[in-house]
Amino acid sequence: MINPFSSPFKLARKGIMGMNQRNTGYISRYNPRKLYPLVDNKLKTKIIAQRDNVTIPALIGVVRTQHDIESIIPLLHKHSGFVIKPAKGSGGKGILVITKQESGVFFKPSGAPTHEEDVKRHCSNILAGLFSLGGSPDVAVIEALIEFDPCFDGFSFEGVPDVRVIVFQGYPVMAMMRLSTAASDGKANLHQGAVGVGIDIGTGKALHAVQFDRPIDKHPDTDRPLKELIVPHWQRLLELASSCYEMSGMGYLGTDMVLDSSNGPMLLELNARPGLAIQIANGEGILPRLKLVEEQQRLNIQRTPNERVEFSKLEFSR
């Protein structure tokens, strides 16, 4: 386990990567600046994912202008559930999830009702840039609702769990599952109180779990033991994450995946500046893994996405 009060020298010896080292040694070095819009804008990410046949949640529509808002409401009534999100949003801000509708009324995962006017106002706020990076004007992306796999029952509270895989030069190097809680308001955001569970790269099984950077053994709302967590379709999920390297051109990338009960693993979004808490969730530093991948590059060893996954499973499994 990582002691939060350890000295910088002890953390370095354990292979823990700090923010400055991440920014200068990996993000600036391996992520071309000109490609940032492809991952910072969820609509552009969807377009390149569709181009490369990467599985993603179905796109229902896009609201680009205030005039579009009126025309989108009849379309929404054709879907029992959907998700509205800002294309340039971050940290889960501005995401509206509707899980069902009855008699023209929409319902959130908590069961709280929301009406047409609320949905229109939400879209209008997105267009105005209320949730976008830097407050710039934005568009609203409307996706089909993910029907999360029932094997995750009890592991998440009022939200869809996701899997963050750090992909470096196409190699999946470290993974974490993020489980929503009452404290996180149903969002898979660690800073808001979601649970982070380190996942073994070799098997997809839970290793270690934290909430607010503190170790925990059970989900805080359901009491389900977190050591029982096993991510299904693990091989396919890693192959999908690895292929995002060629798709985006980014060398150091956070890939956020979800598991749909019908369609299996899907790419939800990409992150060009993935956080460092994944090391706490895994109880291990990421630097030795990054150095090993850099050694493969130095030796000019070329591998396909599937070969990179097999390499990672062999080298990084615990």
Coordinates of all heavy atoms in Angstrom, one line a residue, residues 5-96:
F5 N 1.9 9.6 3.6 CA 2.8 10.5 4.3 C 4.3 10.1 4.0 O 5.2 10.5 4.7 CB 2.6 10.4 5.8 CG 1.2 10.9 6.2 CD1 0.2 9.9 6.6 CD2 0.8 12.2 6.1 CE1 -1.1 10.3 6.9 CE2 -0.5 12.6 6.4 CZ -1.5 11.6 6.8
S6 N 4.5 9.3 3.0 CA 5.8 8.9 2.6 C 6.6 10.1 2.1 O 6.0 11.0 1.5 CB 5.8 7.8 1.6 OG 5.3 6.6 2.1
S7 N 7.9 10.0 2.2 CA 8.8 11.1 1.7 C 8.8 10.9 0.2 O 8.6 9.8 -0.4 CB 10.2 11.0 2.3 OG 10.9 9.9 1.7
P8 N 9.2 12.0 -0.6 CA 9.3 11.9 -2.0 C 10.3 10.9 -2.5 O 10.2 10.2 -3.5 CB 9.7 13.3 -2.4 CG 9.2 14.2 -1.3 CD 9.3 13.4 -0.1
F9 N 11.4 10.7 -1.6 CA 12.4 9.7 -2.0 C 11.9 8.3 -1.9 O 12.2 7.5 -2.8 CB 13.6 9.9 -1.1 CG 14.2 11.3 -1.2 CD1 14.0 12.2 -0.1 CD2 15.0 11.7 -2.3 CE1 14.6 13.5 -0.2 CE2 15.5 12.9 -2.4 CZ 15.3 13.8 -1.4
K10 N 11.1 8.0 -0.8 CA 10.5 6.7 -0.7 C 9.5 6.4 -1.8 O 9.5 5.3 -2.4 CB 9.8 6.6 0.6 CG 10.7 6.4 1.8 CD 9.9 6.2 3.1 CE 10.9 6.1 4.3 NZ 10.1 5.9 5.6
L11 N 8.7 7.4 -2.2 CA 7.8 7.3 -3.3 C 8.5 7.0 -4.6 O 8.0 6.2 -5.4 CB 6.9 8.5 -3.4 CG 5.9 8.8 -2.2 CD1 5.2 10.1 -2.4 CD2 4.9 7.6 -2.1
A12 N 9.6 7.7 -4.8 CA 10.3 7.5 -6.1 C 10.9 6.1 -6.1 O 10.9 5.5 -7.2 CB 11.5 8.5 -6.2
R13 N 11.4 5.6 -5.0 CA 11.9 4.2 -4.9 C 10.8 3.2 -5.2 O 11.1 2.1 -5.7 CB 12.6 3.9 -3.6 CG 13.9 4.6 -3.4 CD 14.7 4.0 -2.3 NE 14.1 4.2 -1.0 CZ 14.3 5.3 -0.2 NH1 15.2 6.2 -0.6 NH2 13.7 5.4 1.0
K14 N 9.6 3.5 -4.9 CA 8.5 2.6 -5.2 C 7.9 2.7 -6.6 O 7.0 2.1 -7.0 CB 7.4 2.8 -4.1 CG 7.7 2.3 -2.7 CD 6.6 2.6 -1.8 CE 6.8 2.0 -0.4 NZ 6.9 0.6 -0.4
G15 N 8.5 3.6 -7.4 CA 8.1 3.8 -8.8 C 6.8 4.6 -8.9 O 6.2 4.6 -9.9
I16 N 6.5 5.5 -7.9 CA 5.4 6.4 -8.0 C 5.7 7.6 -8.9 O 6.7 8.2 -8.7 CB 5.0 6.9 -6.6 CG1 4.8 5.7 -5.6 CG2 3.7 7.7 -6.7 CD1 3.7 4.8 -6.0
M17 N 4.8 7.8 -9.8 CA 5.0 9.0 -10.7 C 4.2 10.2 -10.2 O 3.1 10.1 -9.8 CB 4.6 8.7 -12.1 CG 4.8 9.8 -13.1 SD 4.7 9.3 -14.8 CE 2.9 9.0 -15.0
G18 N 4.9 11.3 -10.1 CA 4.3 12.6 -9.6 C 3.8 13.4 -10.8 O 4.0 13.0 -12.0
M19 N 3.1 14.5 -10.5 CA 2.4 15.2 -11.5 C 3.4 15.9 -12.5 O 3.2 15.9 -13.7 CB 1.5 16.3 -10.9 CG 0.6 17.0 -11.9 SD -0.6 18.1 -11.1 CE -1.7 16.9 -10.3
N20 N 4.5 16.5 -11.9 CA 5.4 17.2 -12.8 C 6.1 16.2 -13.8 O 6.3 16.5 -14.9 CB 6.5 17.8 -11.9 CG 6.0 19.1 -11.2 OD1 5.0 19.7 -11.7 ND2 6.6 19.5 -10.1
Q21 N 6.4 15.0 -13.2 CA 7.1 14.0 -14.1 C 6.1 13.5 -15.2 O 6.5 13.3 -16.3 CB 7.5 12.8 -13.3 CG 8.4 11.8 -14.0 CD 9.0 10.8 -13.1 OE1 8.6 10.6 -12.0 NE2 10.0 10.1 -13.6
R22 N 4.8 13.3 -14.8 CA 3.8 12.9 -15.8 C 3.7 14.0 -16.9 O 3.7 13.7 -18.1 CB 2.4 12.8 -15.1 CG 1.3 12.3 -16.0 CD -0.1 12.7 -15.5 NE -0.3 14.1 -15.3 CZ -1.4 14.7 -15.0 NH1 -2.5 13.9 -14.8 NH2 -1.6 16.0 -14.9
N23 N 3.6 15.3 -16.4 CA 3.4 16.3 -17.4 C 4.5 16.5 -18.4 O 4.3 16.6 -19.6 CB 3.1 17.6 -16.7 CG 1.8 17.6 -15.9 OD1 0.9 16.7 -16.2 ND2 1.6 18.6 -15.1
T24 N 5.8 16.5 -17.8 CA 6.9 16.8 -18.7 C 7.5 15.5 -19.4 O 7.9 15.6 -20.5 CB 8.0 17.5 -17.9 OG1 8.4 16.6 -16.8 CG2 7.6 18.8 -17.3
G25 N 7.5 14.4 -18.6 CA 8.1 13.2 -19.2 C 7.2 12.4 -20.0 O 7.7 11.6 -20.9
Y26 N 5.9 12.5 -19.9 CA 5.0 11.6 -20.7 C 4.0 12.4 -21.5 O 3.9 12.2 -22.7 CB 4.4 10.6 -19.7 CG 5.5 9.7 -19.2 CD1 6.1 9.9 -18.0 CD2 5.9 8.6 -20.0 CE1 7.2 9.1 -17.6 CE2 6.9 7.7 -19.6 CZ 7.5 8.0 -18.4 OH 8.6 7.2 -18.0
I27 N 3.2 13.3 -20.9 CA 2.1 14.0 -21.6 C 2.8 14.9 -22.7 O 2.4 14.8 -23.9 CB 1.2 14.8 -20.6 CG1 0.4 13.8 -19.8 CG2 0.3 15.6 -21.4 CD1 -0.5 14.4 -18.8
S28 N 3.7 15.8 -22.3 CA 4.3 16.7 -23.2 C 5.1 16.0 -24.3 O 5.2 16.3 -25.4 CB 5.1 17.7 -22.5 OG 4.4 18.5 -21.7
R29 N 5.8 14.9 -23.9 CA 6.7 14.2 -24.7 C 6.0 13.3 -25.7 O 6.4 13.2 -26.9 CB 7.7 13.4 -23.9 CG 8.7 12.6 -24.7 CD 9.7 11.9 -23.8 NE 10.7 11.2 -24.5 CZ 11.5 10.3 -24.0 NH1 11.5 10.2 -22.7 NH2 12.4 9.7 -24.7
Y30 N 4.9 12.6 -25.3 CA 4.3 11.6 -26.2 C 2.9 12.0 -26.8 O 2.4 11.3 -27.6 CB 4.1 10.3 -25.4 CG 5.5 9.7 -25.0 CD1 6.0 9.7 -23.8 CD2 6.2 9.0 -26.0 CE1 7.2 9.1 -23.5 CE2 7.4 8.4 -25.7 CZ 7.9 8.5 -24.4 OH 9.1 7.9 -24.2
N31 N 2.3 13.1 -26.3 CA 1.0 13.5 -26.8 C 1.2 14.7 -27.7 O 1.3 15.9 -27.2 CB 0.0 13.8 -25.7 CG -0.4 12.5 -25.0 OD1 0.0 11.4 -25.4 ND2 -1.0 12.7 -23.8
P32 N 1.1 14.6 -29.0 CA 1.3 15.8 -29.9 C 0.1 16.8 -29.6 O -1.0 16.4 -29.6 CB 1.1 15.2 -31.3 CG 1.5 13.8 -31.1 CD 1.0 13.4 -29.8
R33 N 0.5 18.0 -29.4 CA -0.4 19.1 -29.1 C -1.6 19.2 -30.1 O -2.7 19.4 -29.8 CB 0.3 20.4 -29.0 CG -0.5 21.5 -28.3 CD -0.6 21.3 -26.8 NE -1.6 22.1 -26.2 CZ -2.0 22.0 -24.9 NH1 -1.4 21.0 -24.2 NH2 -2.9 22.7 -24.4
K34 N -1.2 19.0 -31.4 CA -2.2 19.2 -32.4 C -3.4 18.1 -32.4 O -4.4 18.3 -33.0 CB -1.6 19.1 -33.8 CG -0.9 17.8 -34.1 CD -0.3 17.8 -35.5 CE 0.3 16.4 -35.8 NZ 0.9 16.4 -37.2
L35 N -3.1 17.0 -31.6 CA -4.1 16.0 -31.6 C -5.0 16.1 -30.4 O -6.0 15.4 -30.2 CB -3.4 14.6 -31.5 CG -2.6 14.2 -32.7 CD1 -1.9 12.9 -32.6 CD2 -3.4 14.3 -34.0
Y36 N -4.8 17.1 -29.5 CA -5.6 17.2 -28.3 C -7.1 17.4 -28.6 O -7.9 16.8 -27.9 CB -5.1 18.4 -27.5 CG -4.0 18.0 -26.5 CD1 -2.8 17.5 -26.9 CD2 -4.2 18.2 -25.1 CE1 -1.8 17.2 -26.1 CE2 -3.2 17.9 -24.2 CZ -2.0 17.3 -24.7 OH -1.0 17.0 -23.8
P37 N -7.5 18.1 -29.7 CA -8.9 18.3 -29.9 C -9.6 17.0 -30.2 O -10.8 16.8 -29.9 CB -8.9 19.2 -31.2 CG -7.7 20.0 -31.1 CD -6.7 19.0 -30.5
L38 N -8.9 16.0 -30.6 CA -9.5 14.7 -30.9 C -10.0 14.0 -29.7 O -10.9 13.1 -29.7 CB -8.5 13.7 -31.7 CG -8.1 14.2 -33.1 CD1 -7.2 13.2 -33.7 CD2 -9.3 14.4 -34.0
V39 N -9.3 14.2 -28.5 CA -9.7 13.6 -27.3 C -10.4 14.5 -26.3 O -11.2 14.1 -25.5 CB -8.5 12.9 -26.6 CG1 -7.9 11.8 -27.5 CG2 -7.4 14.0 -26.3
D40 N -10.2 15.8 -26.5 CA -10.9 16.8 -25.6 C -12.3 17.0 -26.0 O -13.1 17.5 -25.2 CB -10.1 18.1 -25.6 CG -8.8 18.1 -24.8 OD1 -8.7 17.1 -24.0 OD2 -8.0 19.0 -24.9
N41 N -12.6 16.7 -27.3 CA -14.0 16.9 -27.8 C -14.6 15.5 -28.0 O -14.2 14.7 -28.9 CB -13.9 17.7 -29.1 CG -15.3 18.0 -29.6 OD1 -16.2 17.2 -29.7 ND2 -15.5 19.3 -30.0
K42 N -15.6 15.2 -27.2 CA -16.2 13.8 -27.2 C -16.9 13.5 -28.6 O -16.9 12.3 -29.0 CB -17.2 13.6 -26.1 CG -16.6 13.7 -24.7 CD -17.6 13.6 -23.6 CE -16.9 13.7 -22.3 NZ -16.2 15.0 -22.0
L43 N -17.3 14.5 -29.3 CA -17.9 14.3 -30.6 C -16.9 13.9 -31.6 O -17.1 13.0 -32.4 CB -18.7 15.5 -31.1 CG -19.4 15.4 -32.4 CD1 -20.4 14.2 -32.4 CD2 -20.2 16.7 -32.7
K44 N -15.7 14.6 -31.6 CA -14.6 14.2 -32.5 C -14.1 12.8 -32.2 O -13.7 12.1 -33.1 CB -13.5 15.3 -32.4 CG -13.9 16.6 -33.0 CD -12.8 17.6 -33.0 CE -13.2 19.0 -33.6 NZ -12.2 20.0 -33.6
T45 N -14.0 12.5 -30.9 CA -13.6 11.1 -30.5 C -14.5 10.1 -31.1 O -14.1 9.1 -31.6 CB -13.5 11.0 -29.0 OG1 -12.7 12.0 -28.4 CG2 -13.0 9.6 -28.6
K46 N -15.8 10.4 -31.0 CA -16.8 9.4 -31.6 C -16.6 9.3 -33.1 O -16.6 8.1 -33.6 CB -18.2 9.9 -31.3 CG -18.8 9.5 -30.0 CD -20.2 9.9 -29.9 CE -20.9 9.2 -28.8 NZ -20.9 7.7 -28.9
I47 N -16.3 10.3 -33.8 CA -16.1 10.3 -35.2 C -14.9 9.4 -35.6 O -15.0 8.6 -36.5 CB -16.0 11.7 -35.8 CG1 -17.3 12.5 -35.6 CG2 -15.6 11.7 -37.3 CD1 -17.3 13.9 -36.0
I48 N -13.8 9.6 -34.9 CA -12.6 8.8 -35.3 C -12.8 7.4 -34.8 O -12.2 6.4 -35.4 CB -11.3 9.4 -34.7 CG1 -11.3 9.5 -33.2 CG2 -11.0 10.8 -35.3 CD1 -10.0 9.9 -32.6
A49 N -13.5 7.1 -33.7 CA -13.8 5.8 -33.3 C -14.7 5.0 -34.3 O -14.4 3.9 -34.6 CB -14.5 5.8 -31.9
Q50 N -15.7 5.7 -34.8 CA -16.5 5.1 -35.9 C -15.7 4.8 -37.1 O -15.8 3.7 -37.7 CB -17.7 6.0 -36.2 CG -18.7 6.1 -35.1 CD -19.8 7.1 -35.4 OE1 -19.6 8.1 -36.1 NE2 -21.0 6.8 -34.9
R51 N -14.8 5.7 -37.4 CA -13.9 5.5 -38.6 C -13.0 4.2 -38.5 O -12.8 3.5 -39.4 CB -13.0 6.7 -38.8 CG -12.0 6.7 -39.9 CD -10.9 7.7 -39.7 NE -10.0 7.3 -38.5 CZ -9.2 8.2 -37.9 NH1 -9.1 9.4 -38.4 NH2 -8.5 7.8 -36.9
D52 N -12.6 4.0 -37.2 CA -11.7 2.8 -37.0 C -12.4 1.6 -36.4 O -11.8 0.7 -35.9 CB -10.6 3.3 -36.0 CG -9.5 4.2 -36.7 OD1 -9.9 4.8 -37.7 OD2 -8.4 4.2 -36.2
N53 N -13.7 1.6 -36.5 CA -14.5 0.5 -36.1 C -14.3 0.1 -34.6 O -14.3 -1.0 -34.2 CB -14.3 -0.8 -36.9 CG -14.7 -0.5 -38.4 OD1 -15.8 0.0 -38.6 ND2 -13.9 -1.0 -39.3
V54 N -14.1 1.1 -33.8 CA -14.0 0.9 -32.3 C -15.4 1.0 -31.7 O -16.1 2.0 -32.0 CB -13.0 2.0 -31.7 CG1 -13.1 1.9 -30.2 CG2 -11.6 1.8 -32.2
T55 N -15.8 0.1 -30.9 CA -17.1 0.0 -30.4 C -17.4 1.1 -29.4 O -16.6 1.3 -28.5 CB -17.4 -1.3 -29.7 OG1 -16.9 -2.4 -30.5 CG2 -18.8 -1.5 -29.4
I56 N -18.5 1.9 -29.7 CA -18.8 3.0 -28.8 C -20.4 3.0 -28.6 O -21.1 2.4 -29.4 CB -18.4 4.4 -29.5 CG1 -19.0 4.5 -30.9 CG2 -16.9 4.5 -29.5 CD1 -18.8 5.8 -31.6
P57 N -20.9 3.7 -27.6 CA -22.3 3.9 -27.5 C -22.9 4.6 -28.7 O -22.3 5.5 -29.2 CB -22.5 4.7 -26.2 CG -21.2 4.5 -25.5 CD -20.1 4.3 -26.5
A58 N -24.1 4.1 -29.1 CA -24.7 4.7 -30.3 C -25.0 6.2 -30.1 O -25.4 6.6 -29.1 CB -26.0 3.9 -30.6
L59 N -24.8 6.9 -31.2 CA -25.1 8.4 -31.2 C -26.5 8.6 -31.6 O -26.9 8.2 -32.8 CB -24.1 9.1 -32.2 CG -24.2 10.6 -32.3 CD1 -23.9 11.2 -30.9 CD2 -23.3 11.1 -33.4
I60 N -27.3 9.2 -30.8 CA -28.7 9.5 -31.1 C -28.8 10.8 -31.8 O -29.6 10.9 -32.8 CB -29.6 9.5 -29.8 CG1 -29.6 8.1 -29.2 CG2 -31.0 10.1 -30.1 CD1 -30.3 8.1 -27.8
G61 N -28.1 11.8 -31.4 CA -28.2 13.1 -32.1 C -27.2 14.1 -31.5 O -26.5 13.8 -30.5
V62 N -27.1 15.3 -32.1 CA -26.2 16.3 -31.7 C -27.0 17.6 -31.7 O -27.7 17.9 -32.7 CB -25.0 16.5 -32.6 CG1 -24.0 17.6 -32.1 CG2 -24.2 15.1 -32.7
V63 N -26.9 18.4 -30.6 CA -27.6 19.7 -30.6 C -26.5 20.7 -30.7 O -25.6 20.9 -29.9 CB -28.3 19.9 -29.2 CG1 -29.0 21.3 -29.2 CG2 -29.3 18.8 -29.0
R64 N -26.5 21.5 -31.9 CA -25.5 22.4 -32.2 C -25.9 23.9 -32.0 O -25.1 24.7 -31.8 CB -25.0 22.2 -33.6 CG -24.4 20.9 -33.9 CD -24.0 20.7 -35.4 NE -23.7 19.4 -35.7 CZ -22.5 18.9 -35.5 NH1 -21.5 19.6 -35.0 NH2 -22.2 17.6 -35.9
T65 N -27.2 24.1 -32.1 CA -27.8 25.5 -32.0 C -29.0 25.5 -31.1 O -29.6 24.5 -30.9 CB -28.1 26.0 -33.4 OG1 -29.3 25.3 -33.9 CG2 -27.0 25.9 -34.4
Q66 N -29.4 26.7 -30.7 CA -30.6 26.8 -29.9 C -31.8 26.3 -30.6 O -32.7 25.7 -30.1 CB -30.8 28.3 -29.4 CG -29.7 28.8 -28.5 CD -29.9 28.3 -27.1 OE1 -30.9 27.7 -26.7 NE2 -28.8 28.3 -26.3
H67 N -31.8 26.5 -32.0 CA -32.9 26.1 -32.8 C -33.0 24.6 -32.8 O -34.2 24.0 -32.9 CB -32.7 26.6 -34.3 CG -33.7 26.1 -35.2 ND1 -35.0 26.7 -35.2 CD2 -33.7 25.2 -36.2 CE1 -35.7 26.1 -36.1 NE2 -35.0 25.2 -36.7
D68 N -31.9 23.8 -32.6 CA -31.9 22.4 -32.6 C -32.7 21.8 -31.4 O -33.2 20.7 -31.4 CB -30.5 21.8 -32.6 CG -29.8 22.1 -33.9 OD1 -30.5 22.3 -34.9 OD2 -28.5 22.0 -33.9
I69 N -32.7 22.6 -30.3 CA -33.3 22.1 -29.1 C -34.7 21.7 -29.2 O -35.1 20.6 -28.7 CB -33.1 23.1 -27.9 CG1 -31.6 23.4 -27.7 CG2 -33.8 22.7 -26.7 CD1 -31.3 24.5 -26.6
E70 N -35.5 22.5 -29.9 CA -36.9 22.1 -30.1 C -37.1 20.8 -30.9 O -38.0 20.0 -30.6 CB -37.6 23.3 -30.8 CG -37.8 24.5 -30.0 CD -38.7 24.3 -28.7 OE1 -39.6 23.4 -28.8 OE2 -38.5 25.0 -27.7
S71 N -36.3 20.6 -31.9 CA -36.4 19.5 -32.7 C -35.9 18.2 -32.1 O -36.3 17.1 -32.6 CB -35.7 19.7 -34.1 OG -34.3 19.9 -33.9
I72 N -35.1 18.3 -31.1 CA -34.5 17.1 -30.5 C -35.5 16.4 -29.5 O -35.4 15.2 -29.3 CB -33.2 17.4 -29.8 CG1 -32.3 16.2 -29.7 CG2 -33.4 18.0 -28.4 CD1 -31.7 15.7 -30.9
I73 N -36.4 17.2 -28.9 CA -37.4 16.6 -27.9 C -38.2 15.4 -28.5 O -38.3 14.4 -27.9 CB -38.3 17.7 -27.3 CG1 -37.4 18.7 -26.5 CG2 -39.3 17.1 -26.5 CD1 -36.7 18.0 -25.3
P74 N -38.8 15.6 -29.7 CA -39.6 14.4 -30.3 C -38.7 13.2 -30.5 O -39.1 12.1 -30.3 CB -40.1 15.0 -31.6 CG -40.1 16.5 -31.4 CD -39.0 16.8 -30.6
L75 N -37.4 13.4 -30.8 CA -36.5 12.3 -31.0 C -36.2 11.6 -29.7 O -36.2 10.4 -29.6 CB -35.2 12.8 -31.6 CG -34.1 11.8 -31.9 CD1 -34.6 10.8 -32.9 CD2 -32.8 12.5 -32.4
L76 N -36.1 12.4 -28.6 CA -35.8 11.8 -27.3 C -37.0 10.9 -26.8 O -36.7 9.9 -26.1 CB -35.5 12.9 -26.3 CG -34.3 13.7 -26.5 CD1 -34.1 14.7 -25.4 CD2 -33.0 12.8 -26.6
H77 N -38.2 11.3 -27.2 CA -39.3 10.5 -26.7 C -39.4 9.1 -27.4 O -40.2 8.3 -27.0 CB -40.6 11.3 -27.0 CG -40.9 12.3 -26.0 ND1 -41.0 12.1 -24.6 CD2 -41.1 13.7 -26.1 CE1 -41.3 13.2 -24.0 NE2 -41.3 14.2 -24.8
K78 N -38.6 8.9 -28.4 CA -38.5 7.6 -29.0 C -37.6 6.6 -28.3 O -37.5 5.4 -28.7 CB -38.1 7.7 -30.5 CG -39.0 8.5 -31.4 CD -38.5 8.7 -32.8 CE -39.4 9.5 -33.6 NZ -38.9 9.7 -35.0
H79 N -36.9 7.1 -27.3 CA -35.9 6.3 -26.6 C -36.3 6.2 -25.1 O -36.5 7.2 -24.5 CB -34.5 6.9 -26.7 CG -34.0 6.9 -28.2 ND1 -33.3 5.9 -28.7 CD2 -34.2 7.9 -29.1 CE1 -33.0 6.2 -30.0 NE2 -33.6 7.4 -30.3
S80 N -36.3 5.0 -24.6 CA -36.6 4.9 -23.2 C -35.6 5.4 -22.3 O -35.9 5.9 -21.2 CB -36.8 3.4 -22.8 OG -35.7 2.6 -23.1
G81 N -34.3 5.4 -22.7 CA -33.2 6.0 -21.9 C -32.2 6.6 -22.8 O -32.0 6.2 -23.9
F82 N -31.5 7.6 -22.3 CA -30.4 8.3 -23.1 C -29.5 9.1 -22.2 O -29.8 9.3 -21.0 CB -31.1 9.2 -24.2 CG -32.0 10.2 -23.7 CD1 -31.6 11.4 -23.2 CD2 -33.4 9.9 -23.6 CE1 -32.5 12.3 -22.6 CE2 -34.3 10.8 -23.1 CZ -33.9 12.0 -22.6
V83 N -28.4 9.6 -22.7 CA -27.5 10.4 -22.0 C -27.2 11.6 -22.8 O -26.9 11.5 -24.0 CB -26.2 9.6 -21.7 CG1 -25.2 10.5 -21.0 CG2 -26.4 8.3 -21.0
I84 N -27.2 12.8 -22.1 CA -26.9 14.0 -22.8 C -25.6 14.6 -22.1 O -25.5 14.7 -20.9 CB -28.0 15.1 -22.6 CG1 -29.3 14.6 -23.3 CG2 -27.6 16.4 -23.3 CD1 -30.5 15.6 -23.1
K85 N -24.6 14.8 -22.9 CA -23.3 15.3 -22.3 C -22.7 16.4 -23.2 O -22.9 16.4 -24.4 CB -22.3 14.1 -22.2 CG -22.0 13.4 -23.5 CD -21.0 12.3 -23.3 CE -21.4 11.2 -22.5 NZ -20.5 10.1 -22.4
P86 N -21.9 17.3 -22.5 CA -21.2 18.3 -23.3 C -20.0 17.7 -24.0 O -19.3 16.9 -23.4 CB -20.8 19.3 -22.2 CG -20.7 18.5 -20.9 CD -21.7 17.4 -21.1
A87 N -19.8 18.1 -25.3 CA -18.7 17.5 -26.0 C -17.4 17.9 -25.4 O -16.4 17.1 -25.5 CB -18.8 18.0 -27.5
K88 N -17.3 19.1 -24.8 CA -16.0 19.5 -24.3 C -16.0 19.5 -22.7 O -15.2 20.1 -22.1 CB -15.7 21.0 -24.7 CG -15.7 21.1 -26.2 CD -15.4 22.6 -26.5 CE -15.6 22.9 -28.0 NZ -15.5 24.4 -28.3
G89 N -16.9 18.7 -22.1 CA -16.9 18.6 -20.7 C -15.8 17.8 -20.1 O -15.1 17.1 -20.8
S90 N -15.7 17.9 -18.8 CA -14.7 17.0 -18.1 C -15.2 16.7 -16.7 O -16.0 17.4 -16.1 CB -13.3 17.8 -18.0 OG -13.4 18.9 -17.2
G91 N -14.6 15.7 -16.1 CA -14.9 15.3 -14.7 C -16.4 15.0 -14.5 O -16.9 15.1 -13.3
G92 N -17.1 14.6 -15.5 CA -18.5 14.2 -15.4 C -19.5 15.3 -15.2 O -20.7 15.1 -15.1
K93 N -19.0 16.6 -15.4 CA -19.8 17.7 -15.3 C -20.8 17.9 -16.5 O -20.3 17.7 -17.6 CB -19.0 19.0 -15.1 CG -18.1 19.1 -13.9 CD -17.3 20.3 -13.9 CE -16.3 20.3 -12.7 NZ -15.3 21.4 -12.7
G94 N -22.0 18.2 -16.2 CA -23.0 18.5 -17.3 C -23.6 17.2 -17.9 O -24.3 17.3 -18.9
I95 N -23.3 16.0 -17.3 CA -23.9 14.8 -17.9 C -25.3 14.5 -17.3 O -25.4 14.4 -16.1 CB -23.0 13.6 -17.7 CG1 -21.6 13.8 -18.4 CG2 -23.6 12.3 -18.2 CD1 -20.6 12.7 -18.2
L96 N -26.3 14.5 -18.2 CA -27.6 14.2 -17.7 C -28.0 12.8 -18.2 O -28.0 12.5 -19.4 CB -28.6 15.2 -18.3 CG -30.1 14.9 -18.1 CD1 -30.4 15.0 -16.6 CD2 -31.0 15.9 -18.8

